[in-house]
Amino acid sequence: MLALLPQAIIDGVLLGGIYLTVAMGFSLAFGVLHIIDFAVGEWIMLGAFIGLIFTKWLGVDALLSLPVVFVIFAVVGWLLQPLLHRVLSGSRGRPVLMGLVFTFGLALAFRGSALTVFGIFTHSLDTVLSQGSWHLDWGPFFLTVPLIRLAGLVYALAVILGFNYLLKRTDFGLAVRAVAQNKEAAGLMGVDVNRTSAAVYGLYVGISAMTGVFIGAIVSLNAGMGPDLSIFAFFVVVLAGMGYLAGVPWAAFLLGLIQSFFLIYFNPSHVLLALFSILYLILLISPTGMFRKGV
Amino acid sequence: MRGRPAWLWILLVIAAVGTVPLLIADAFFLRLFTEALMWIGLAITWDLMAGYIGYLNFGHGVFFGVGAYTAALLITKGGWPFWPALALGGLAAGLVALVSGWPTLRLRGAYFAIGTWALNRAVGQVALVLDFTGGPDGMRLPPFLHPQFFAYVMLGVVGATFLILWLLLEQAPFGLKLKAIREDESGSLAIGLNPAWLKLQAFVLSAVPTGILGGVYAYWITFIDPSSTLGDLITDQAVVMAIFGGLGTLIGPVIGAVLFFSFKTYFWAYLSDYQVLYLIILGLAIAATVFFLPDGFWGTVANRWEGRRALRKGLSLGQAAGT
């Protein structure tokens, strides 16, 4: 059993990297727009399917669909954000909750559409990296690292670095941080709050959809996978503390590790159950996340 | 409504609805009648948390499923008669609400919604992996084929629930206290209310009738499995009914439940080839209601009504003052 330990850790870290990208976008959207997006798993699922269509249609490698998926979904998010804004700034007492209900409705509609169009079957995305893997033997221990998972980690790091650059080094990032801190004041300083918000939402939707392509290539994709992925995203963001970006990587890697340990050492059909229980306990003990720095 | 107390009207309406199964004995119609009543019960109990306190419980189905499974286990494994099993189903749901609500209700807003959603999926998974619940195969109950009996049991449960909720929420100070929490939780604490205790009371109050409904459902349908009693669809449909009808009122969810259930029946009767289409419509209905009718159907109608009455009153006052 111990021989499998490095494998479990590596698998967990590589998987965690994938969740990290979704959780980053999700956390950013929450920080800037104060939106809790129930449809996050559905964006991932739809992104994976658009990638699949693109790959099948042109007969090219799935990795080449990444920029296409990003652009399509960034535009969709950009166009959707004004609707969300109207719901969130409504006259009704609790706009945040109305926003939650709104995205909940969107999630159902997306899932239903995907089930209608793509059916209930599980597909997988093929890339040149799908078959290759690295083997390492070291005494009693051994390690298999599929190249596509490694590519996922590289992608995750690229997204994180890109985020970091965008938020810390550009005017746009300055505007985003200003809006996150104080909407009115940012508006008074000449920041176009509506455009910044729409761009953030577009960025978040685009990245989530792009990650969907990786999840489709690493694991699999089917039209009903949205809710579980939404739970994963919530798990990471809540664990890190809502809106606390620095906590996100730790939470994401923890999620990946929990998942891979359950897959290797316990019953894989209990993975979700374990995650739900942990999420639940965490929410009970510390609603502001494991660093107690959330909102 | 002056002169005759309102509770008399409610009893009259319930009695009038009670004559329907006597007049129409068609089995299919009775089935629809019973199910419509069940959804009314689910929608008003969901609205108790969402509309009155502002806590979105996306795990409402847990209570329904726990009630259904408790009653089913007692009837099949324990050989209990229907009524005590039903009562214990409600009690079990209340207990789940007490245990899970004690810590979760400290979570505000979105955290509560997510926490209860996770709870629902976790409980669904438990029912799937356990042996004595039959896992994914579900459980069969001894059939008791008497449609009118179930129509009246459902009417009794839902009618009693409506009356109790109406007394507590619209007549007693309890409802005002809950609304105070909805408007400003810290403020309600400051004026001497105990929000934690009130929320827990309301949570249990919304759970017990839901559990009883689950028990009735189990004995009525005679077959339960995790997806039919603990699936997302129970909560999802209660949500769309309550929101479409109008949050924060008792009559709104009733109207929403009747309208949406009629639509659902029509849909399943004529478009059952396109089952997944139902999910799309459900989702779009939720999103469109939040977008266009944030006060819900009843809220919008009532607002317009109020506005017109106030206008007329103002006009007549103005005339009286002017002449």
Side-chain angles (χ1 to χ4, degrees), chain B residues 48-80:
Chain B
L48 165 61
M49 286 308 288
Y52 282 85
I53 319 188
Y55 274 65
L56 299 179
N57 178 5
F58 279 105
H60 201 56
V62 170
F63 306 141
F64 187 81
V66 166
Y69 267 100
T70 309
L73 283 170
L74 287 174
I75 290 171
T76 54
K77 306 269 156 93
W80 285 40

Side-chain angles (χ1 to χ4, degrees), chain A residues 184-202:
Chain A
E184 283 75 27
L188 288 172
M189 295 299 122
V191 175
D192 190 336
V193 175
N194 287 343
R195 270 185 65 176
T196 311
S197 304
V200 167
Y201 195 71

Side-chain angles (χ1 to χ4, degrees), chain A residues 108-122:
Chain A
L108 281 184
F110 290 156
R111 198 184 320 152
S113 315
L115 283 166
T116 311
V117 177
F118 306 116
I120 55 165
F121 303 108
T122 299

Side-chain angles (χ1 to χ4, degrees), chain A residues 64-248:
Chain A
L64 286 177
S65 70
L66 286 175
V68 180
V69 169
F70 178 78
V71 170
I72 291 176
F73 280 90
V75 171
V76 170
W78 169 281
L79 293 176
L80 195 65
Q81 196 274 337
L83 299 185
L84 277 170
H85 179 74
R86 206 189 117 160
V87 172
L88 286 169
S89 55
S91 57
R92 184 117 196 136
R94 298 179 145 255
V96 173
L97 295 188
M98 291 319 255
L100 199 65
V101 175
F102 184 72
T103 56
F104 182 72
L106 288 185
L108 281 184
F110 290 156
R111 198 184 320 152
S113 315
L115 283 166
T116 311
V117 177
F118 306 116
I120 55 165
F121 303 108
T122 299
H123 305 263
S124 70
L125 277 166
D126 281 328
T127 80
V128 278
L129 300 174
S130 298
Q131 308 302 328
S133 62
W134 279 351
H135 265 294
L136 290 174
D137 276 306
W138 187 58
F141 298 108
F142 57 91
L143 205 57
T144 311
V145 185
L147 288 180
I148 182 68
R149 287 195 180 220
L150 214 56
L153 191 68
V154 172
Y155 157 77
L157 289 176
V159 168
I160 302 307
L161 290 178
F163 255 130
N164 200 42
Y165 177 77
L166 201 64
L167 286 178
K168 299 247 166 88
R169 299 256 186 270
T170 62
D171 286 350
F172 171 73
L174 193 63
V176 169
R177 283 184 291 148
V179 173
Q181 272 184 15
N182 190 328
K183 234 175 221 166
E184 283 75 27
L188 288 172
M189 295 299 122
V191 175
D192 190 336
V193 175
N194 287 343
R195 270 185 65 176
T196 311
S197 304
V200 167
Y201 195 71
L203 194 66
Y204 145 72
V205 172
I207 286 177
S208 301
M210 206 157 54
T211 305
V213 174
F214 268 102
I215 291 181
I218 291 175
V219 192
S220 64
L221 63 150
N222 68 71
M225 73 182 184
D228 287 345
L229 290 169
S230 292
I231 291 262
F232 289 172
F234 284 143
F235 181 88
V236 171
V237 173
V238 169
L239 203 63
M242 285 260 184
Y244 180 59
L245 278 178
V248 168

